[in-house]
């Protein structure tokens, strides 16, 4: 039976005991499998409970509806993405364009490895797109990339930096989604990511960015 829509998307309670934590983990793992196999349109709490081998009542102790489960999966993905951005873009030991190249490789790999779940979560986005947590996740990512762009292009105007950053993030997101919609080999993923990174680095060098390997400023044309 399909879930009735509801505005509530937060979990009912946080598990505190080991057994409760294991139950929630089993529910979320089952949710990932159902989402990947069935997609967002056929995703229901009943299917998740069956896959997890738990009663629907046990599931409802922690997740009031399917939107809450999907939001938890999306929230976990946001946290993982934020951690990746922080680790890569904040690595001051590497020159900015080297960090950008690493980010593009990691992003394209991630998009391909988790394509089925990401596509389904994207389809489910209307359930939680305007939630405060969703807005904060987007804002946190934007702040990280803004700081990175200030390092990558320190000598241009704020407007030009913002334009460059928007072009990179929008392009990376759009082409990564399209590229990952069919299965890819490791060689294809690496070649595509490197080609995309080459484009971004070349673009930033024309704007005064550093070279990806040695951090030296681009030579004037």
């Amino acid at each position: 039976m399909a879930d009735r829509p509801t505005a509530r998307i937060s979990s009912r309670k946080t598990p505190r005991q080991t057994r409760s934590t294991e139950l929630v983990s089993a529910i979320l793992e089952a949710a990932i499998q159902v989402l990947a196999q069935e997609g967002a349109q056929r995703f229901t709490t009943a299917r998740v409970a069956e896959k997890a081998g738990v009663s629907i009542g046990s599931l409802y102790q922690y997740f009031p509806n399917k939107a809450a489960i999907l939001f938890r999966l999306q929230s976990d993905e946001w946290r993982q993405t934020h951690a990746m951005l922080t680790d890569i873009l904040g690595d001051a030991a590497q020159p900015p364009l080297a960090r950008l190249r690493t980010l593009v490789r990691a992003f394209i790999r991630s998009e391909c490895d988790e394509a089925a779940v990401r596509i389904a979560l994207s389809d489910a986005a209307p359930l939680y797109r305007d939630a405060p947590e969703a807005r904060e996740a987007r804002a946190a990512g934007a702040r990280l990339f803004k700081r990175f762009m200030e390092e990558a292009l320190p000598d241009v105007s704020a407007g030009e930096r913002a334009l460059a950053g928007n072009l990179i993030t929008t392009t990376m997101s759009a082409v990564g989604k399209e590229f990952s919609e069919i299965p890819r080999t490791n060689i294809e993923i690496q070649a595509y990511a490197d080609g995309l990174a080459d484009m971004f680095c070349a673009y930033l060098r024309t704007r005064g960015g550093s070279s990806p390997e040695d951090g030296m400023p681009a030579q004037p044309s």
Side-chain angles (χ1 to χ4, degrees), residues 71-120:
F71 183 69
R72 170 62 184 272
L73 293 177
Q74 182 63 81
S75 296
D76 289 347
E77 195 276 331
W78 285 330
R79 282 191 288 272
Q80 293 167 6
T81 299
H82 189 270
M84 179 181 73
L85 287 171
T86 301
D87 289 345
I88 295 174
L89 297 183
D91 183 7
Q94 298 296 321
L97 297 194
R99 282 178 255 166
L100 179 59
R101 184 175 294 278
T102 300
L103 176 64
V104 173
R105 288 170 173 167
F107 178 80
I108 296 299
R109 168 64 63 183
S110 176
E111 288 287 288
C112 291
D113 287 348
E114 302 171 18
V117 172
R118 287 180 187 275
I119 291 170

mmCIF file of all heavy atoms in Angstrom, residues 71-120:
data_model
loop_
_atom_site.group_PDB
_atom_site.id
_atom_site.type_symbol
_atom_site.label_atom_id
_atom_site.label_comp_id
_atom_site.label_asym_id
_atom_site.label_seq_id
_atom_site.Cartn_x
_atom_site.Cartn_y
_atom_site.Cartn_z
ATOM 1 N N PHE A 71 14.589 11.193 3.027
ATOM 2 C CA PHE A 71 15.297 12.372 3.505
ATOM 3 C C PHE A 71 16.540 11.964 4.293
ATOM 4 O O PHE A 71 17.583 12.613 4.179
ATOM 5 C CB PHE A 71 14.378 13.227 4.371
ATOM 6 C CG PHE A 71 15.024 14.506 4.840
ATOM 7 C CD1 PHE A 71 15.312 15.518 3.942
ATOM 8 C CD2 PHE A 71 15.359 14.690 6.173
ATOM 9 C CE1 PHE A 71 15.912 16.698 4.367
ATOM 10 C CE2 PHE A 71 15.951 15.861 6.603
ATOM 11 C CZ PHE A 71 16.222 16.870 5.698
ATOM 12 N N ARG A 72 16.451 10.897 5.076
ATOM 13 C CA ARG A 72 17.622 10.425 5.813
ATOM 14 C C ARG A 72 18.704 9.958 4.845
ATOM 15 O O ARG A 72 19.896 10.268 5.026
ATOM 16 C CB ARG A 72 17.216 9.284 6.755
ATOM 17 C CG ARG A 72 18.385 8.560 7.405
ATOM 18 C CD ARG A 72 19.250 9.464 8.298
ATOM 19 N NE ARG A 72 20.392 8.724 8.791
ATOM 20 C CZ ARG A 72 20.354 8.013 9.922
ATOM 21 N NH1 ARG A 72 19.240 7.968 10.666
ATOM 22 N NH2 ARG A 72 21.419 7.352 10.324
ATOM 23 N N LEU A 73 18.325 9.232 3.802
ATOM 24 C CA LEU A 73 19.309 8.794 2.809
ATOM 25 C C LEU A 73 19.952 9.996 2.128
ATOM 26 O O LEU A 73 21.168 10.032 1.910
ATOM 27 C CB LEU A 73 18.651 7.892 1.763
ATOM 28 C CG LEU A 73 18.138 6.529 2.235
ATOM 29 C CD1 LEU A 73 17.461 5.803 1.083
ATOM 30 C CD2 LEU A 73 19.263 5.691 2.825
ATOM 31 N N GLN A 74 19.123 10.984 1.786
ATOM 32 C CA GLN A 74 19.659 12.174 1.135
ATOM 33 C C GLN A 74 20.549 12.953 2.083
ATOM 34 O O GLN A 74 21.601 13.474 1.683
ATOM 35 C CB GLN A 74 18.510 13.055 0.645
ATOM 36 C CG GLN A 74 18.954 14.302 -0.095
ATOM 37 C CD GLN A 74 19.707 13.994 -1.369
ATOM 38 O OE1 GLN A 74 19.098 13.718 -2.398
ATOM 39 N NE2 GLN A 74 21.026 14.037 -1.334
ATOM 40 N N SER A 75 20.158 13.045 3.358
ATOM 41 C CA SER A 75 20.966 13.751 4.349
ATOM 42 C C SER A 75 22.325 13.087 4.518
ATOM 43 O O SER A 75 23.357 13.768 4.634
ATOM 44 C CB SER A 75 20.240 13.801 5.698
ATOM 45 O OG SER A 75 19.052 14.549 5.604
ATOM 46 N N ASP A 76 22.335 11.752 4.532
ATOM 47 C CA ASP A 76 23.608 11.035 4.627
ATOM 48 C C ASP A 76 24.475 11.337 3.406
ATOM 49 O O ASP A 76 25.700 11.505 3.533
ATOM 50 C CB ASP A 76 23.359 9.524 4.735
ATOM 51 C CG ASP A 76 22.783 9.118 6.084
ATOM 52 O OD1 ASP A 76 22.798 9.949 7.025
ATOM 53 O OD2 ASP A 76 22.306 7.969 6.199
ATOM 54 N N GLU A 77 23.847 11.403 2.228
ATOM 55 C CA GLU A 77 24.604 11.721 1.010
ATOM 56 C C GLU A 77 25.162 13.137 1.081
ATOM 57 O O GLU A 77 26.299 13.381 0.678
ATOM 58 C CB GLU A 77 23.683 11.555 -0.200
ATOM 59 C CG GLU A 77 24.422 11.488 -1.542
ATOM 60 C CD GLU A 77 24.749 12.857 -2.103
ATOM 61 O OE1 GLU A 77 23.998 13.807 -1.810
ATOM 62 O OE2 GLU A 77 25.753 12.999 -2.821
ATOM 63 N N TRP A 78 24.374 14.073 1.605
ATOM 64 C CA TRP A 78 24.859 15.449 1.759
ATOM 65 C C TRP A 78 26.069 15.502 2.677
ATOM 66 O O TRP A 78 27.037 16.197 2.392
ATOM 67 C CB TRP A 78 23.755 16.341 2.316
ATOM 68 C CG TRP A 78 22.695 16.707 1.332
ATOM 69 C CD1 TRP A 78 22.842 16.844 -0.031
ATOM 70 C CD2 TRP A 78 21.323 16.990 1.614
ATOM 71 N NE1 TRP A 78 21.643 17.182 -0.600
ATOM 72 C CE2 TRP A 78 20.701 17.300 0.367
ATOM 73 C CE3 TRP A 78 20.573 17.031 2.785
ATOM 74 C CZ2 TRP A 78 19.354 17.618 0.290
ATOM 75 C CZ3 TRP A 78 19.228 17.360 2.697
ATOM 76 C CH2 TRP A 78 18.624 17.645 1.466
ATOM 77 N N ARG A 79 26.009 14.767 3.786
ATOM 78 C CA ARG A 79 27.134 14.763 4.731
ATOM 79 C C ARG A 79 28.383 14.189 4.086
ATOM 80 O O ARG A 79 29.499 14.699 4.273
ATOM 81 C CB ARG A 79 26.766 13.970 5.989
ATOM 82 C CG ARG A 79 25.883 14.744 6.956
ATOM 83 C CD ARG A 79 25.773 14.030 8.279
ATOM 84 N NE ARG A 79 24.948 12.840 8.180
ATOM 85 C CZ ARG A 79 23.629 12.828 8.342
ATOM 86 N NH1 ARG A 79 22.981 13.954 8.600
ATOM 87 N NH2 ARG A 79 22.943 11.700 8.252
ATOM 88 N N GLN A 80 28.214 13.108 3.322
ATOM 89 C CA GLN A 80 29.359 12.506 2.647
ATOM 90 C C GLN A 80 29.956 13.455 1.617
ATOM 91 O O GLN A 80 31.180 13.585 1.504
ATOM 92 C CB GLN A 80 28.930 11.191 1.986
ATOM 93 C CG GLN A 80 28.555 10.096 2.969
ATOM 94 C CD GLN A 80 27.834 8.943 2.292
ATOM 95 O OE1 GLN A 80 27.698 8.886 1.074
ATOM 96 N NE2 GLN A 80 27.339 8.014 3.101
ATOM 97 N N THR A 81 29.082 14.123 0.868
ATOM 98 C CA THR A 81 29.553 15.076 -0.133
ATOM 99 C C THR A 81 30.276 16.245 0.522
ATOM 100 O O THR A 81 31.328 16.693 0.046
ATOM 101 C CB THR A 81 28.375 15.600 -0.976
ATOM 102 O OG1 THR A 81 27.763 14.493 -1.661
ATOM 103 C CG2 THR A 81 28.848 16.630 -1.999
ATOM 104 N N HIS A 82 29.727 16.748 1.618
ATOM 105 C CA HIS A 82 30.357 17.866 2.323
ATOM 106 C C HIS A 82 31.727 17.457 2.852
ATOM 107 O O HIS A 82 32.684 18.241 2.775
ATOM 108 C CB HIS A 82 29.467 18.348 3.464
ATOM 109 C CG HIS A 82 29.941 19.616 4.100
ATOM 110 N ND1 HIS A 82 30.806 19.640 5.175
ATOM 111 C CD2 HIS A 82 29.692 20.923 3.801
ATOM 112 C CE1 HIS A 82 31.057 20.887 5.513
ATOM 113 N NE2 HIS A 82 30.403 21.681 4.699
ATOM 114 N N ALA A 83 31.825 16.235 3.382
ATOM 115 C CA ALA A 83 33.116 15.750 3.887
ATOM 116 C C ALA A 83 34.126 15.646 2.752
ATOM 117 O O ALA A 83 35.302 16.002 2.908
ATOM 118 C CB ALA A 83 32.935 14.401 4.570
ATOM 119 N N MET A 84 33.670 15.173 1.583
ATOM 120 C CA MET A 84 34.556 15.070 0.428
ATOM 121 C C MET A 84 35.026 16.452 -0.009
ATOM 122 O O MET A 84 36.224 16.669 -0.268
ATOM 123 C CB MET A 84 33.837 14.373 -0.729
ATOM 124 C CG MET A 84 34.686 14.237 -1.995
ATOM 125 S SD MET A 84 33.830 13.430 -3.367
ATOM 126 C CE MET A 84 32.671 14.714 -3.872
ATOM 127 N N LEU A 85 34.099 17.407 -0.095
ATOM 128 C CA LEU A 85 34.472 18.769 -0.479
ATOM 129 C C LEU A 85 35.464 19.369 0.512
ATOM 130 O O LEU A 85 36.445 20.008 0.112
ATOM 131 C CB LEU A 85 33.225 19.645 -0.549
ATOM 132 C CG LEU A 85 32.276 19.424 -1.724
ATOM 133 C CD1 LEU A 85 30.996 20.215 -1.528
ATOM 134 C CD2 LEU A 85 32.940 19.802 -3.041
ATOM 135 N N THR A 86 35.209 19.158 1.789
ATOM 136 C CA THR A 86 36.096 19.711 2.821
ATOM 137 C C THR A 86 37.494 19.128 2.718
ATOM 138 O O THR A 86 38.496 19.859 2.776
ATOM 139 C CB THR A 86 35.516 19.443 4.221
ATOM 140 O OG1 THR A 86 34.217 20.053 4.320
ATOM 141 C CG2 THR A 86 36.411 20.018 5.301
ATOM 142 N N ASP A 87 37.569 17.818 2.570
ATOM 143 C CA ASP A 87 38.874 17.145 2.510
ATOM 144 C C ASP A 87 39.667 17.562 1.273
ATOM 145 O O ASP A 87 40.875 17.813 1.357
ATOM 146 C CB ASP A 87 38.690 15.625 2.509
ATOM 147 C CG ASP A 87 38.225 15.093 3.850
ATOM 148 O OD1 ASP A 87 38.320 15.833 4.855
ATOM 149 O OD2 ASP A 87 37.752 13.944 3.901
ATOM 150 N N ILE A 88 39.005 17.623 0.135
ATOM 151 C CA ILE A 88 39.709 17.897 -1.118
ATOM 152 C C ILE A 88 39.985 19.386 -1.307
ATOM 153 O O ILE A 88 41.132 19.797 -1.532
ATOM 154 C CB ILE A 88 38.914 17.338 -2.315
ATOM 155 C CG1 ILE A 88 38.842 15.813 -2.232
ATOM 156 C CG2 ILE A 88 39.567 17.767 -3.636
ATOM 157 C CD1 ILE A 88 37.959 15.178 -3.291
ATOM 158 N N LEU A 89 38.943 20.201 -1.209
ATOM 159 C CA LEU A 89 39.122 21.621 -1.475
ATOM 160 C C LEU A 89 39.888 22.326 -0.363
ATOM 161 O O LEU A 89 40.507 23.371 -0.596
ATOM 162 C CB LEU A 89 37.771 22.301 -1.678
ATOM 163 C CG LEU A 89 36.958 21.819 -2.884
ATOM 164 C CD1 LEU A 89 35.666 22.618 -3.005
ATOM 165 C CD2 LEU A 89 37.776 21.916 -4.170
ATOM 166 N N GLY A 90 39.875 21.778 0.837
ATOM 167 C CA GLY A 90 40.581 22.399 1.950
ATOM 168 C C GLY A 90 42.019 21.949 2.114
ATOM 169 O O GLY A 90 42.691 22.362 3.063
ATOM 170 N N ASP A 91 42.514 21.121 1.205
ATOM 171 C CA ASP A 91 43.882 20.605 1.305
ATOM 172 C C ASP A 91 44.876 21.670 0.822
ATOM 173 O O ASP A 91 45.263 21.692 -0.349
ATOM 174 C CB ASP A 91 44.016 19.328 0.476
ATOM 175 C CG ASP A 91 45.396 18.693 0.604
ATOM 176 O OD1 ASP A 91 46.199 19.169 1.432
ATOM 177 O OD2 ASP A 91 45.661 17.713 -0.125
ATOM 178 N N ALA A 92 45.291 22.508 1.735
ATOM 179 C CA ALA A 92 46.166 23.629 1.380
ATOM 180 C C ALA A 92 47.544 23.180 0.908
ATOM 181 O O ALA A 92 48.293 23.982 0.334
ATOM 182 C CB ALA A 92 46.312 24.572 2.576
ATOM 183 N N ALA A 93 47.909 21.929 1.137
ATOM 184 C CA ALA A 93 49.208 21.433 0.677
ATOM 185 C C ALA A 93 49.236 21.288 -0.845
ATOM 186 O O ALA A 93 50.322 21.212 -1.442
ATOM 187 C CB ALA A 93 49.519 20.085 1.337
ATOM 188 N N GLN A 94 48.057 21.243 -1.483
ATOM 189 C CA GLN A 94 47.978 21.108 -2.933
ATOM 190 C C GLN A 94 47.562 22.438 -3.559
ATOM 191 O O GLN A 94 46.748 23.166 -2.999
ATOM 192 C CB GLN A 94 46.945 20.036 -3.305
ATOM 193 C CG GLN A 94 47.277 18.648 -2.804
ATOM 194 C CD GLN A 94 48.545 18.108 -3.426
ATOM 195 O OE1 GLN A 94 48.802 18.319 -4.621
ATOM 196 N NE2 GLN A 94 49.350 17.420 -2.638
ATOM 197 N N PRO A 95 48.123 22.786 -4.725
ATOM 198 C CA PRO A 95 47.688 24.011 -5.409
ATOM 199 C C PRO A 95 46.227 23.892 -5.812
ATOM 200 O O PRO A 95 45.708 22.784 -5.988
ATOM 201 C CB PRO A 95 48.617 24.090 -6.629
ATOM 202 C CG PRO A 95 49.126 22.717 -6.825
ATOM 203 C CD PRO A 95 49.202 22.089 -5.472
ATOM 204 N N PRO A 96 45.538 25.015 -5.958
ATOM 205 C CA PRO A 96 44.094 24.977 -6.207
ATOM 206 C C PRO A 96 43.656 24.115 -7.381
ATOM 207 O O PRO A 96 42.703 23.345 -7.260
ATOM 208 C CB PRO A 96 43.751 26.455 -6.435
ATOM 209 C CG PRO A 96 44.750 27.198 -5.624
ATOM 210 C CD PRO A 96 46.025 26.407 -5.768
ATOM 211 N N LEU A 97 44.348 24.217 -8.517
ATOM 212 C CA LEU A 97 43.871 23.466 -9.667
ATOM 213 C C LEU A 97 44.134 21.972 -9.532
ATOM 214 O O LEU A 97 43.435 21.157 -10.134
ATOM 215 C CB LEU A 97 44.476 24.013 -10.960
ATOM 216 C CG LEU A 97 44.113 25.464 -11.300
ATOM 217 C CD1 LEU A 97 44.473 25.790 -12.737
ATOM 218 C CD2 LEU A 97 42.656 25.754 -11.040
ATOM 219 N N ALA A 98 45.130 21.598 -8.736
ATOM 220 C CA ALA A 98 45.331 20.182 -8.427
ATOM 221 C C ALA A 98 44.164 19.667 -7.594
ATOM 222 O O ALA A 98 43.685 18.542 -7.774
ATOM 223 C CB ALA A 98 46.648 19.978 -7.692
ATOM 224 N N ARG A 99 43.695 20.503 -6.669
ATOM 225 C CA ARG A 99 42.534 20.126 -5.854
ATOM 226 C C ARG A 99 41.293 19.985 -6.729
ATOM 227 O O ARG A 99 40.485 19.073 -6.536
ATOM 228 C CB ARG A 99 42.284 21.185 -4.778
ATOM 229 C CG ARG A 99 43.229 21.094 -3.602
ATOM 230 C CD ARG A 99 42.943 22.197 -2.603
ATOM 231 N NE ARG A 99 43.950 23.253 -2.665
ATOM 232 C CZ ARG A 99 43.814 24.442 -2.101
ATOM 233 N NH1 ARG A 99 42.703 24.752 -1.457
ATOM 234 N NH2 ARG A 99 44.771 25.339 -2.179
ATOM 235 N N LEU A 100 41.148 20.896 -7.685
ATOM 236 C CA LEU A 100 39.988 20.831 -8.571
ATOM 237 C C LEU A 100 40.007 19.543 -9.377
ATOM 238 O O LEU A 100 38.974 18.887 -9.543
ATOM 239 C CB LEU A 100 39.976 22.044 -9.498
ATOM 240 C CG LEU A 100 38.828 22.109 -10.512
ATOM 241 C CD1 LEU A 100 37.473 22.103 -9.808
ATOM 242 C CD2 LEU A 100 38.964 23.349 -11.397
ATOM 243 N N ARG A 101 41.176 19.169 -9.867
ATOM 244 C CA ARG A 101 41.286 17.923 -10.638
ATOM 245 C C ARG A 101 40.909 16.723 -9.774
ATOM 246 O O ARG A 101 40.178 15.821 -10.208
ATOM 247 C CB ARG A 101 42.716 17.770 -11.177
ATOM 248 C CG ARG A 101 42.906 16.547 -12.074
ATOM 249 C CD ARG A 101 44.310 16.534 -12.657
ATOM 250 N NE ARG A 101 44.501 17.649 -13.571
ATOM 251 C CZ ARG A 101 44.108 17.642 -14.841
ATOM 252 N NH1 ARG A 101 43.491 16.584 -15.342
ATOM 253 N NH2 ARG A 101 44.321 18.689 -15.608
ATOM 254 N N THR A 102 41.387 16.700 -8.537
ATOM 255 C CA THR A 102 41.049 15.607 -7.622
ATOM 256 C C THR A 102 39.553 15.567 -7.361
ATOM 257 O O THR A 102 38.937 14.500 -7.307
ATOM 258 C CB THR A 102 41.808 15.777 -6.292
ATOM 259 O OG1 THR A 102 43.214 15.757 -6.545
ATOM 260 C CG2 THR A 102 41.464 14.663 -5.316
ATOM 261 N N LEU A 103 38.961 16.749 -7.192
ATOM 262 C CA LEU A 103 37.522 16.812 -6.937
ATOM 263 C C LEU A 103 36.722 16.268 -8.109
ATOM 264 O O LEU A 103 35.767 15.502 -7.918
ATOM 265 C CB LEU A 103 37.111 18.260 -6.661
ATOM 266 C CG LEU A 103 35.604 18.480 -6.471
ATOM 267 C CD1 LEU A 103 35.100 17.759 -5.235
ATOM 268 C CD2 LEU A 103 35.290 19.971 -6.400
ATOM 269 N N VAL A 104 37.087 16.658 -9.314
ATOM 270 C CA VAL A 104 36.350 16.190 -10.491
ATOM 271 C C VAL A 104 36.428 14.672 -10.596
ATOM 272 O O VAL A 104 35.420 13.997 -10.839
ATOM 273 C CB VAL A 104 36.891 16.849 -11.779
ATOM 274 C CG1 VAL A 104 36.245 16.222 -13.010
ATOM 275 C CG2 VAL A 104 36.625 18.350 -11.753
ATOM 276 N N ARG A 105 37.606 14.119 -10.379
ATOM 277 C CA ARG A 105 37.764 12.661 -10.438
ATOM 278 C C ARG A 105 36.890 11.979 -9.393
ATOM 279 O O ARG A 105 36.197 10.988 -9.671
ATOM 280 C CB ARG A 105 39.222 12.282 -10.228
ATOM 281 C CG ARG A 105 40.137 12.622 -11.407
ATOM 282 C CD ARG A 105 41.584 12.439 -11.023
ATOM 283 N NE ARG A 105 42.478 12.604 -12.168
ATOM 284 C CZ ARG A 105 43.794 12.751 -12.054
ATOM 285 N NH1 ARG A 105 44.361 12.762 -10.848
ATOM 286 N NH2 ARG A 105 44.532 12.891 -13.140
ATOM 287 N N ALA A 106 36.931 12.485 -8.165
ATOM 288 C CA ALA A 106 36.150 11.879 -7.074
ATOM 289 C C ALA A 106 34.658 12.016 -7.338
ATOM 290 O O ALA A 106 33.875 11.089 -7.078
ATOM 291 C CB ALA A 106 36.516 12.537 -5.746
ATOM 292 N N PHE A 107 34.239 13.166 -7.868
ATOM 293 C CA PHE A 107 32.825 13.402 -8.116
ATOM 294 C C PHE A 107 32.288 12.473 -9.203
ATOM 295 O O PHE A 107 31.228 11.852 -9.031
ATOM 296 C CB PHE A 107 32.604 14.863 -8.513
ATOM 297 C CG PHE A 107 31.174 15.195 -8.829
ATOM 298 C CD1 PHE A 107 30.266 15.435 -7.820
ATOM 299 C CD2 PHE A 107 30.744 15.243 -10.146
ATOM 300 C CE1 PHE A 107 28.943 15.728 -8.104
ATOM 301 C CE2 PHE A 107 29.418 15.544 -10.448
ATOM 302 C CZ PHE A 107 28.517 15.790 -9.423
ATOM 303 N N ILE A 108 32.993 12.372 -10.323
ATOM 304 C CA ILE A 108 32.526 11.523 -11.412
ATOM 305 C C ILE A 108 32.509 10.065 -10.987
ATOM 306 O O ILE A 108 31.568 9.317 -11.293
ATOM 307 C CB ILE A 108 33.398 11.708 -12.672
ATOM 308 C CG1 ILE A 108 33.284 13.147 -13.202
ATOM 309 C CG2 ILE A 108 33.000 10.715 -13.761
ATOM 310 C CD1 ILE A 108 31.892 13.559 -13.609
ATOM 311 N N ARG A 109 33.517 9.642 -10.245
ATOM 312 C CA ARG A 109 33.539 8.271 -9.724
ATOM 313 C C ARG A 109 32.342 8.022 -8.814
ATOM 314 O O ARG A 109 31.662 6.989 -8.917
ATOM 315 C CB ARG A 109 34.848 8.043 -8.961
ATOM 316 C CG ARG A 109 34.893 6.768 -8.121
ATOM 317 C CD ARG A 109 34.803 5.518 -8.949
ATOM 318 N NE ARG A 109 35.940 5.390 -9.839
ATOM 319 C CZ ARG A 109 36.076 4.408 -10.723
ATOM 320 N NH1 ARG A 109 35.115 3.496 -10.838
ATOM 321 N NH2 ARG A 109 37.131 4.360 -11.517
ATOM 322 N N SER A 110 32.067 8.958 -7.932
ATOM 323 C CA SER A 110 30.938 8.815 -7.013
ATOM 324 C C SER A 110 29.614 8.770 -7.763
ATOM 325 O O SER A 110 28.733 7.967 -7.444
ATOM 326 C CB SER A 110 30.940 9.975 -6.007
ATOM 327 O OG SER A 110 29.817 9.915 -5.161
ATOM 328 N N GLU A 111 29.456 9.646 -8.752
ATOM 329 C CA GLU A 111 28.223 9.650 -9.535
ATOM 330 C C GLU A 111 27.981 8.297 -10.206
ATOM 331 O O GLU A 111 26.844 7.817 -10.236
ATOM 332 C CB GLU A 111 28.290 10.740 -10.601
ATOM 333 C CG GLU A 111 28.173 12.153 -10.074
ATOM 334 C CD GLU A 111 26.763 12.478 -9.629
ATOM 335 O OE1 GLU A 111 25.882 12.639 -10.495
ATOM 336 O OE2 GLU A 111 26.543 12.573 -8.408
ATOM 337 N N CYS A 112 29.029 7.705 -10.740
ATOM 338 C CA CYS A 112 28.886 6.422 -11.430
ATOM 339 C C CYS A 112 28.662 5.273 -10.456
ATOM 340 O O CYS A 112 27.851 4.375 -10.718
ATOM 341 C CB CYS A 112 30.123 6.155 -12.289
ATOM 342 S SG CYS A 112 30.276 7.258 -13.712
ATOM 343 N N ASP A 113 29.362 5.288 -9.333
ATOM 344 C CA ASP A 113 29.239 4.191 -8.371
ATOM 345 C C ASP A 113 27.859 4.134 -7.732
ATOM 346 O O ASP A 113 27.383 3.058 -7.364
ATOM 347 C CB ASP A 113 30.299 4.337 -7.273
ATOM 348 C CG ASP A 113 31.700 4.005 -7.754
ATOM 349 O OD1 ASP A 113 31.820 3.449 -8.866
ATOM 350 O OD2 ASP A 113 32.668 4.300 -7.032
ATOM 351 N N GLU A 114 27.212 5.273 -7.577
ATOM 352 C CA GLU A 114 25.934 5.320 -6.867
ATOM 353 C C GLU A 114 24.826 5.878 -7.756
ATOM 354 O O GLU A 114 23.881 6.513 -7.274
ATOM 355 C CB GLU A 114 26.086 6.169 -5.602
ATOM 356 C CG GLU A 114 27.174 5.650 -4.666
ATOM 357 C CD GLU A 114 27.459 6.617 -3.524
ATOM 358 O OE1 GLU A 114 26.613 7.486 -3.259
ATOM 359 O OE2 GLU A 114 28.512 6.486 -2.898
ATOM 360 N N ALA A 115 24.931 5.614 -9.047
ATOM 361 C CA ALA A 115 24.016 6.241 -10.009
ATOM 362 C C ALA A 115 22.559 5.908 -9.737
ATOM 363 O O ALA A 115 21.699 6.799 -9.743
ATOM 364 C CB ALA A 115 24.397 5.821 -11.429
ATOM 365 N N ALA A 116 22.237 4.635 -9.503
ATOM 366 C CA ALA A 116 20.840 4.237 -9.356
ATOM 367 C C ALA A 116 20.185 4.943 -8.177
ATOM 368 O O ALA A 116 19.059 5.460 -8.281
ATOM 369 C CB ALA A 116 20.742 2.719 -9.193
ATOM 370 N N VAL A 117 20.881 4.977 -7.054
ATOM 371 C CA VAL A 117 20.321 5.615 -5.860
ATOM 372 C C VAL A 117 20.238 7.127 -6.045
ATOM 373 O O VAL A 117 19.246 7.763 -5.663
ATOM 374 C CB VAL A 117 21.150 5.260 -4.613
ATOM 375 C CG1 VAL A 117 20.685 6.068 -3.401
ATOM 376 C CG2 VAL A 117 21.041 3.773 -4.316
ATOM 377 N N ARG A 118 21.263 7.723 -6.641
ATOM 378 C CA ARG A 118 21.256 9.171 -6.842
ATOM 379 C C ARG A 118 20.113 9.602 -7.760
ATOM 380 O O ARG A 118 19.451 10.606 -7.517
ATOM 381 C CB ARG A 118 22.598 9.627 -7.421
ATOM 382 C CG ARG A 118 23.734 9.591 -6.432
ATOM 383 C CD ARG A 118 25.023 10.054 -7.103
ATOM 384 N NE ARG A 118 26.161 9.883 -6.226
ATOM 385 C CZ ARG A 118 26.543 10.768 -5.311
ATOM 386 N NH1 ARG A 118 25.842 11.877 -5.163
ATOM 387 N NH2 ARG A 118 27.592 10.541 -4.558
ATOM 388 N N ILE A 119 19.891 8.856 -8.823
ATOM 389 C CA ILE A 119 18.806 9.196 -9.742
ATOM 390 C C ILE A 119 17.462 9.100 -9.033
ATOM 391 O O ILE A 119 16.595 9.965 -9.172
ATOM 392 C CB ILE A 119 18.842 8.275 -10.979
ATOM 393 C CG1 ILE A 119 20.082 8.583 -11.838
ATOM 394 C CG2 ILE A 119 17.572 8.436 -11.813
ATOM 395 C CD1 ILE A 119 20.340 7.572 -12.936
ATOM 396 N N ALA A 120 17.292 8.044 -8.240
ATOM 397 C CA ALA A 120 16.033 7.872 -7.520
ATOM 398 C C ALA A 120 15.840 8.966 -6.474
ATOM 399 O O ALA A 120 14.731 9.478 -6.289
ATOM 400 C CB ALA A 120 15.994 6.496 -6.864
#
